Amino acid sequence: MLKIEAIHHIAIICRDYQCSKDFYTKVLGLEIVREIYRKERDSYKLDLSLNGNYLLELFSFPSPPKRVSRPEATGLRHLAFAVSDLDSCVAELAKNQLSPEPIRTDEFTGKRFTFIADPDDLPIELYEI
């Protein structure tokens, strides 16, 4: 059996690099670690961290196919971020013209959560801890 230590990072391919970069940094507050333009691929790679921990790689490629989000398809379902105050997060999202789904309660944990979508319709869950 493998001995996996932790999740190292998540990689996302975006359609509109600047729009997605703004969403993940200005709306969600992830910090830029490194930004690289790879000329041979006409592609950007943006490394992002959360609270100093490397978390996400954002890639751009010319004309990527659209992601299937609904109906739910096989593969990555969503990204979930832990938040301590869901109500303040929802208020902050409204300032950025984002409308989350109605807040629900996890029937097993009793914790509250909601979903938004990134610029490419990838579901993002905000889960109150």
Side-chain angles (χ1 to χ4, degrees):
M1 179 183 331
L2 295 177
K3 185 178 180 215
I4 296 175
E5 302 292 332
I7 292 175
H8 186 266
H9 70 272
I10 299 159
I12 297 174
I13 297 173
C14 64
R15 177 181 21 90
D16 180 327
Y17 178 72
Q18 190 60 53
C19 182
S20 291
K21 177 182 174 181
D22 289 347
F23 174 81
Y24 284 98
T25 59
K26 294 179 181 174
V27 175
L28 295 186
L30 300 182
E31 300 166 359
I32 296 173
V33 174
R34 172 178 33 258
E35 184 175 33
I36 302 164
Y37 178 71
R38 301 175 308 169
K39 185 177 178 181
E40 70 282 356
R41 297 176 121 183
D42 190 22
S43 168
Y44 279 94
K45 178 181 182 282
L46 182 65
D47 296 333
L48 298 166
S49 69
L50 176 63
N51 301 323
N53 296 310
Y54 186 71
L55 175 69
L56 194 117
E57 293 176 343
L58 184 65
F59 290 93
S60 70
F61 292 104
S63 304
K66 185 169 172 43
R67 178 186 191 279
V68 176
S69 285
R70 289 172 189 82
E72 290 191 39
T74 302
L76 178 67
R77 185 173 186 192
H78 64 266
L79 298 179
F81 292 104
V83 300
S84 58
D85 183 348
L86 189 57
D87 294 320
S88 68
C89 289
V90 167
E92 191 64 31
L93 292 169
K95 291 179 187 176
N96 287 286
Q97 289 76 46
L98 291 169
S99 299
E101 293 179 358
I103 293 174
R104 295 181 268 165
T105 301
D106 185 312
E107 62 184 289
F108 301 108
T109 66
K111 302 288 186 171
R112 299 181 326 139
F113 65 96
T114 189
F115 281 89
I116 57 173
D118 84 349
D120 292 300
D121 208 26
L122 174 65
I124 307 287
E125 180 180 10
L126 301 175
Y127 195 91
E128 194 170 54
I129 54 169

